Amino acid sequence: MLLSHGGEPLRTAAPVVRWTVEQVLVLAPDESSRKAGGRLGSAGPWTGAGCDGSGAVWGLCKGSGSKPYQTVVDTTGPAYKCSCPSRKFPCKHALGLLLLWASDEAVLGPAEVPDWAGEWLDGRRRRAAQKAEPAGGDAVGAGAGPSDPAAARRRAERRAERITGGAQELEQRLTDLLRGGLAAADQSGYGLWEETAARMVDAQAPGLAGRVKELGAIPASGPGWPVRLLEECALLHLLDTAWLGIDRLPEPLAATVRTRVGLTGSVDGPPVRDHWLVLAQYDTPDGKIVTRRIWLSGKGSGRTALLLSFGAAGRSPGQALPVGVTIDAELTPYRGAGQLRAELGAQFGAPVPTGAPPPGSTATAAVAAYGQALRDDPWLESWPVTLRGVIPVPSGDGWQLVDAAGDAALPVTPSALSRPGLWKLVAISGGAPVTVFGECGHRGFDPLAAWADSSDDGAAETVPLI
Amino acid sequence: MPGTEPMPSTTTPWEELLTSALLGTDRRPLAAGAGPGPIALLDAAALHTVRRRAGLRPAAAAARPGTAPADPRPPLPPAARRRLAQLLADRSASSGAGGRRGAEPDLTELIPQWLAAANLRGFRAPAALLPPLLDAARARTDLRPQALAFAGPRGLWLAGLNPEWKFALRGSSGSSLLPEVTDADAVHRLWEEGLFAERVALLGAVRAHDPGGALALLTSTWATERAEDRLMFLDSLRAGLSAADEPFLEQALSDRSRNVRATAAELLSALPESALAGRMAARASSCVNLDLTAGDATVAVEAPHECDAALQRDGVVAVPPSGRGERSWWLGQLVEATPLSVWPGRFGGRTAQEIVALPVADGWGEELHAAWCRAAVRQRDPQWARALLGPPSLPPSNGPGTASLAERSKLLATLPGAERAAWVAGFVAAHGLSEAFQLLGVCPVPWAEPLGRSVVDALDIARDAGSYPWSFSGVMGLAERCLNPAEADRLEVLTTTPDEPEGASPGAAGYWSEAFRRLVSTLRLRAAMDAELGAETA
């Protein structure tokens, strides 16, 4: 009962359609790489540049030294290799090469793969093929498993005990807080929460630690903070008690609680092969770690999936997919109720840079979907939805997305109001209905991608809003 | 969610929970039923919170802003669209950049060219790129006219929703809000009730369509306009100036405002058939004459002795700026306002060339030639401009006209494009680049072949002389924007790094090679941009 057929990924003979400049630019790890890549995105410094039908792009870039840098990109990954000493990933040469590929067919045309690029490409694709093999042959459940199950179980039990200790301590802290009153929390300042968060890190419960840290910021978050503080305290208490009583929870909810507390969930087959449209990719800094979220929508399955990856300070997360392309790939979902997180498995062929939007719903259906999802995961901040036929409308200091066919509206989240993407959305709408993908939650709707409903600029082009 | 409504609750009201939480359960225990302690409070609050979130309902819709006007222009070809995205992305990324320019093209410098080319071909701006386009226009005033034209009606619609783009709604953009110039009622209404900027734009639009109609519009309210406004309105008559405007202008010569009078006189003097031009010609003829008594023909000058009321009414300013003699000041204005066509008759049928070559008595030559230069510019007379410019090979200080480069570039601007380029090419070939910058600026783009070649040759000579390329960065930048992209292949040979010539500045050869590489890659890029924009119109 496999949805995947494993084995050698298919390689199409037709030339790979080029990405757009925007699609390349979202791959840049930071602003300075983006700028440096832009400067290298013209023919000037490049020699021997070319691409082939399998999605490989290569070129030699003249640097300050005598020997040019060898840059090669496998756009099906995407994966990059460059002989420059940069620690950025992808480096400015890879970005420049992709920009050149995106914008100048005359300079970067189909060619024979040179040896220096071919070796790396072959090695990479061989490994990818091998990786696809066990994923396909491994079937449902078990996974490869640790080498010593007994030792692993002991480690897991020890960690669970520490988390339990942490959760009990946190409960104590919350009850003390409410016994004394939240009004005092305004004065007690950030230090106390920092200390508590550090205790949760010690207890190996990063999920609890993250929530505690956010509590600390609420008293300074402006009018209405007591309401928000009480809500978040209450949800943290709910999570504590859920963990302490996890044995009595049904398994899907228990898995969700484990994930919320901060235990890494396990991927839980079977893999789903589909044509996945990349809806959005964005990074959120979280202390020293950068979290990258990539939203995908399956054309055949209708499923929405989330790829999470993490990058340490100064390095961008390894996984990157250009928004608006469709990849033929396998995704393996994570365990847990209402979980959308998945892991990207084998890819079949190069990404195709077009994709019609997922079927959408109304504003009313969107909040209902969020409400439904809360039944599986009450700690959920938002739920991914696609709105069809909505008009961005200014409303007071903010914006709304209004159902063109009715009077229902979703306010745009405050965090989205300051992003340039909002104006892109308004521009492509021009006051007419559009399709918008985003995260719908109790703070409002956070638009992440849009499609003009009537456009002759290029049919159903995905416009990233973040 | 702000603006959404929670479902009604049947348990302890949220307000009560909140009060208790704020004051603390020790001081304010919850009412009986739920249990008094903090745990009960947290349990109830959690229930409330999840219930509230799960029961969210959409907010009521605010008033819709109305849709953007349709833009019938065709969309950009995909490659050109990608290029624009890259140009705009580079613009926003290049803030805070510094240091040497390197060998890569400066994309920011190419945005104006790209916009001009796209507008020329009549493409519509991609909606998703309107925000960065408006941002670019906000940051750079020189981009605004082209950027706003390209942004079109949807760009204006969008700008109306964002206070940061207010600039787009002012001034130049008024044109898209103007009524049809054939709609007499709407035109009259706007002329009577519009804001000043709208009225200026309206007058310009009507003038372009129907010069007489514009004049009639202006006359209808002339007496009630403020002096500054009269001056601006009068200025709009420059376009399409004809003999039909003379009666109105003649009347404006007795205006209350001195500036209005001077402008009216200036406009009249550009009409060789006007009565004012005739009066000026009569006066100038008594001042400037051919003197054959001394054997060789010379020009004799007798500057006016007074600036009477009639002369002042014809726009001559009586009081000279400090440091200038009264009589030469009056003479200059007189000759400047005199139709150039009267001189051949006064000088025995000589051509402009021959007249300019005549010696001038008593040191009046400089004054007289300068006045002729201004007259040639004002009356847009290429024959006189040609004569006053002289051959390009002549050193600037020995030219027949004036030595000022600003005057020369104005004279050049009256010549046909090809001739302009040829003249500057000759100038560069004879005198190098150091004084050519201003002259290059008035040549049509892309530069004609001989001009391009002489600029590149001059750069090559400067390199051989061992100077640094940044001494020529102004011309280099112009060359990147103005050379014909087809020249790129021919320039390739200059990008190599030759051995340093003796006495050269250290490292100069490398920097030159870099500068030429940038020039070549910029030209290649421009060729690619043109091809992308032309791809679908060809």
Side-chain angles (χ1 to χ4, degrees):
Chain A
M1 267 302 289
L2 289 183
L3 291 161
S4 146
H5 65 65
E8 182 75 12
L10 295 172
R11 296 264 159 227
T12 46
V16 176
V17 187
R18 293 164 193 245
W19 300 351
T20 67
V21 169
E22 292 96 328
Q23 286 169 340
V24 175
L25 289 176
V26 297
L27 304 179
D30 54 33
E31 195 56 34
S32 70
S33 316
R34 188 171 304 184
K35 189 187 125 204
R39 296 200 171 277
L40 292 173
S42 61
W46 293 95
T47 50
C51 60
D52 71 0
S54 75
V57 187
W58 61 87
L60 300 170
C61 185
K62 189 170 161 43
S64 48
S66 57
K67 204 167 155 10
Y69 296 124
Q70 300 176 332
T71 312
V72 49
V73 179
D74 179 354
T75 59
T76 60
Y80 322 90
K81 186 182 189 300
C82 183
S83 61
C84 77
S86 168
R87 312 185 74 163
K88 299 263 181 69
F89 188 80
C91 68
K92 62 179 177 181
H93 304 102
L95 288 170
L97 182 66
L98 286 176
L99 284 173
L100 187 65
W101 178 63
S103 58
D104 211 331
E105 286 182 40
V107 175
L108 214 158
E112 200 65 29
V113 184
D115 289 346
W116 59 265
E119 275 171 36
W120 176 77
L121 286 165
D122 289 346
R124 206 190 108 65
R125 284 164 185 182
R126 221 176 13 254
R127 281 192 302 278
Q130 282 161 0
K131 199 174 145 200
E133 203 82 65
D138 188 36
V140 186
S147 51
D148 182 352
R153 197 180 317 116
R154 274 197 305 280
R155 274 199 304 277
E157 277 165 9
R158 263 203 309 278
R159 183 168 181 193
E161 278 165 32
R162 299 183 71 158
I163 295 175
T164 301
Q168 283 163 343
E169 193 178 334
L170 193 53
E171 272 299 277
Q172 194 57 51
R173 172 93 182 78
L174 287 173
T175 47
D176 286 352
L177 176 70
L178 283 154
R179 197 168 278 131
L182 294 181
D186 197 11
Q187 288 109 48
S188 67
Y190 201 71
L192 202 58
W193 294 111
E194 279 287 278
E195 189 198 314
T196 314
R199 305 276 302 140
M200 293 307 115
V201 173
D202 288 345
Q204 293 184 301
L208 295 179
R211 285 185 166 264
V212 169
K213 225 182 277 174
E214 275 169 34
L215 284 187
I218 292 178
S221 66
W225 68 266
V227 172
R228 290 193 290 278
L229 186 56
L230 178 57
E231 284 185 346
E232 293 309 319
C233 284
L235 287 175
L236 186 51
H237 160 76
L238 190 66
L239 185 54
D240 281 338
T241 42
W243 171 265
L244 296 174
I246 199 160
D247 296 342
R248 298 192 301 277
L249 297 180
E251 177 45 32
L253 185 57
T256 299
V257 169
R258 279 194 287 270
T259 310
R260 287 286 173 197
V261 164
L263 289 169
T264 314
S266 51
V267 290
D268 189 13
V272 181
R273 181 174 172 182
D274 203 341
H275 291 272
W276 298 95
L277 170 63
V278 183
L279 297 169
Q281 170 182 315
Y282 66 97
D283 296 348
T284 33
D286 178 17
K288 288 184 182 137
I289 301 228
V290 173
T291 305
R292 172 165 293 172
R293 288 178 173 77
I294 300 176
W295 284 112
L296 301 169
S297 169
K299 195 177 171 190
S301 61
R303 288 171 74 141
T304 303
L306 175 65
L307 303 179
L308 278 180
S309 54
F310 306 93
R315 288 183 66 94
S316 78
Q319 201 162 46
L321 291 172
V323 170
V325 303
T326 299
I327 53 173
D328 179 3
E330 281 182 349
L331 293 190
T332 314
Y334 273 71
R335 201 188 290 262
Q339 276 274 323
L340 296 175
R341 188 178 171 190
E343 192 146 274
L344 182 61
Q347 289 184 53
F348 310 92
V352 183
T354 54
S361 64
T362 62
T364 310
V367 281
Y370 170 61
Q372 288 282 335
L374 281 173
R375 296 204 301 197
D376 288 332
D377 180 356
W379 300 277
L380 199 61
E381 291 286 307
S382 59
W383 186 250
V385 286
T386 303
L387 300 174
R388 181 161 292 246
V390 287
I391 305 171
V393 171
S395 152
D397 293 338
W399 283 80
Q400 293 180 334
L401 294 175
V402 174
D403 261 334
D407 282 329
L410 296 178
V412 171
T413 53
S415 59
L417 292 176
S418 54
R419 286 203 310 258
L422 175 71
W423 289 102
K424 243 193 218 181
L425 172 62
V426 178
I428 67 164
S429 148
V434 284
T435 299
V436 186
F437 168 80
E439 295 169 8
C440 180
H442 61 94
R443 291 191 181 89
F445 187 88
D446 194 354
L448 300 175
W451 299 262
D453 277 2
S454 56
S455 158
D456 45 1
D457 281 3
E461 183 198 29
T462 308
V463 180
L465 301 178
I466 189 165
Chain B
M1 196 186 299
T4 55
E5 305 155 26
M7 295 273 278
S9 161
T10 51
T11 54
T12 318
W14 172 254
E15 274 63 37
E16 209 169 293
L17 293 177
L18 188 62
T19 311
S20 192
L22 269 172
L23 297 175
T25 51
D26 282 356
R27 257 169 293 175
R28 181 73 175 265
L30 285 182
I39 298 284
L41 172 58
L42 284 168
D43 281 341
L47 185 64
H48 256 284
T49 302
V50 177
R51 194 209 306 257
R52 189 186 72 83
R53 291 182 182 181
L56 282 174
R57 286 186 304 204
R64 298 173 191 186
T67 50
D71 189 341
R73 296 177 291 176
L76 284 173
R81 192 189 178 292
R82 290 198 291 266
R83 180 73 62 191
L84 176 63
Q86 197 185 356
L87 291 175
L88 292 172
D90 189 75
R91 188 202 75 83
S92 59
S94 64
S95 55
R100 214 167 87 208
R101 289 188 57 205
E104 291 89 43
D106 186 345
L107 297 185
T108 316
E109 288 301 318
L110 296 178
I111 296 180
Q113 284 211 343
W114 190 96
L115 287 173
N119 282 334
L120 198 67
R121 293 182 166 91
F123 286 118
R124 160 160 52 99
L129 292 178
L130 286 175
L133 186 66
L134 288 168
D135 280 341
R138 182 166 72 115
R140 278 179 62 180
T141 31
D142 64 312
L143 282 182
R144 281 185 191 175
Q146 295 279 15
L148 291 178
F150 184 54
R154 184 173 288 226
L156 269 193
W157 175 88
L158 190 63
L161 293 168
N162 187 340
E164 294 202 350
W165 296 327
K166 252 196 190 126
F167 70 89
L169 308 175
R170 289 194 293 262
S172 63
S173 64
S175 57
S176 65
L177 304 170
L178 291 178
E180 283 292 319
V181 289
T182 47
D183 182 351
D185 284 346
V187 164
H188 260 280
R189 200 174 323 116
L190 188 61
W191 180 251
E192 298 283 343
E193 297 165 8
L195 300 170
F196 176 66
E198 289 169 332
R199 302 179 67 209
V200 170
L202 177 72
L203 193 61
V206 176
R207 180 78 176 172
H209 172 75
D210 169 18
L215 193 63
L217 206 58
L218 190 51
T219 325
S220 69
T221 58
W222 181 254
T224 60
E225 305 289 354
R226 300 182 316 146
E228 308 91 281
D229 297 359
R230 288 203 303 278
L231 189 61
M232 282 293 280
F233 292 143
L234 199 54
D235 225 38
S236 71
L237 296 187
R238 265 176 220 288
L241 187 67
S242 77
D245 301 318
E246 193 187 345
F248 176 77
L249 290 171
E250 187 71 35
Q251 202 188 334
L253 281 178
S254 24
D255 196 88
R256 294 189 298 282
S257 153
R258 201 185 68 178
N259 286 332
V260 170
R261 293 197 300 271
T263 304
E266 190 200 325
L267 290 171
L268 280 170
S269 70
L271 291 171
E273 306 299 317
S274 70
L276 179 130
R279 294 196 292 275
M280 285 304 197
R283 289 177 186 125
S285 304
S286 70
C287 293
V288 181
N289 280 292
L290 184 62
D291 182 3
L292 294 166
T293 54
D296 286 339
T298 38
V299 181
V301 176
E302 178 73 20
H305 288 277
E306 59 166 344
C307 186
D308 57 21
L311 203 54
Q312 288 187 44
R313 183 178 182 274
D314 282 348
V316 173
V317 179
V319 184
S322 62
R324 293 205 53 181
E326 279 185 329
R327 292 182 61 203
S328 72
W329 171 245
W330 298 331
L331 175 79
Q333 295 179 76
L334 208 57
V335 174
E336 182 183 349
T338 300
L340 288 161
S341 52
V342 309
W343 299 116
R346 303 287 310 162
F347 285 93
R350 284 178 171 80
T351 63
Q353 226 98 23
E354 289 161 342
I355 295 169
V356 167
L358 288 172
V360 182
D362 305 326
W364 281 104
E366 206 174 309
E367 198 71 52
L368 186 61
H369 283 155
W372 276 336
C373 281
R374 294 197 298 276
V377 171
R378 185 189 284 190
Q379 296 166 33
R380 307 208 58 80
D381 187 323
Q383 228 161 343
W384 276 83
R386 217 170 277 138
L388 289 159
L389 279 166
S393 53
L394 224 55
S397 52
N398 296 354
T402 170
S404 146
L405 284 166
E407 290 277 345
R408 278 165 175 258
S409 52
K410 281 192 210 155
L411 286 174
L412 270 175
T414 66
L415 299 182
E419 191 181 346
R420 227 182 292 168
W423 196 92
V424 177
F427 183 89
V428 169
H431 312 298
L433 291 169
S434 47
E435 295 193 76
F437 186 75
Q438 221 169 355
L439 304 178
L440 287 169
V442 297
C443 292
V445 176
W447 288 341
E449 206 275 338
L451 177 58
R453 181 155 298 190
S454 68
V455 170
V456 172
D457 285 349
L459 286 170
D460 201 20
I461 289 166
R463 167 167 78 168
D464 286 345
S467 49
Y468 281 119
W470 40 85
S471 314
F472 300 91
S473 56
V475 173
M476 212 26 134
L478 266 184
E480 285 165 20
R481 296 194 292 278
C482 306
L483 266 181
N484 190 332
E487 304 271 316
D489 289 337
R490 215 167 55 72
L491 294 176
E492 189 77 65
V493 60
L494 295 172
T495 59
T496 53
T497 312
D499 295 334
E500 302 246 328
E502 220 160 300
S505 316
Y511 294 128
W512 274 108
S513 152
E514 187 176 82
F516 278 121
R517 268 190 286 144
R518 185 176 66 239
L519 178 58
V520 169
S521 53
T522 307
L523 294 180
R524 293 246 157 86
L525 187 59
R526 282 177 45 212
M529 283 168 29
D530 286 344
E532 288 158 5
L533 281 166
E536 285 193 353
T537 52

